[in-house]
Amino acid sequence: MLLIFCFLMGIANFAMHKAVSESGHPFVEETKRYFSPHFSPYGSYAIELVLLIGALWFANDGSLAVALTYGVYTGINAVATWLLLSGRS
């Protein structure tokens, strides 16, 4: 069950990541310009994938703490996405 929970949160995280990346928000665009020499255009997706794989790996071993931590991470992403896309930041 933890594995399914983490997988669904991973889908949500990638969807929020894409929405923010394509939003055109000045903060996001400035961050892209700053990190572009260090990462490829899809480097942030790679970091997101590594986090998801780690969460899935630990969830497969039955680690409730890691699954809950990934849930908190997803919640923080949701709040940040809402703030950026609603224009409140």
Side-chain angles (χ1 to χ4, degrees):
M1 190 67 181
L2 287 176
L3 199 59
I4 294 169
F5 180 64
C6 284
F7 181 74
L8 293 175
M9 287 189 297
I11 292 172
N13 281 323
F14 272 98
M16 289 184 283
H17 189 103
K18 182 177 180 183
V20 168
S21 293
E22 295 176 353
S23 70
H25 191 279
F27 175 74
V28 176
E29 296 303 315
E30 182 179 330
T31 305
K32 284 181 189 178
R33 281 191 299 276
Y34 179 76
F35 284 108
S36 64
H38 308 291
F39 296 107
S40 69
Y42 301 105
S44 58
Y45 288 104
I47 294 169
E48 192 74 52
L49 180 63
V50 168
L51 289 172
L52 174 59
I53 289 171
L56 289 172
W57 189 334
F58 282 104
N60 191 41
D61 288 340
S63 175
L64 180 62
V66 172
L68 290 175
T69 302
Y70 195 65
V72 169
Y73 169 73
T74 302
I76 292 169
N77 275 345
V79 170
T81 300
W82 175 72
L83 287 171
L84 284 170
L85 296 181
S86 67
R88 296 180 188 262
S89 62

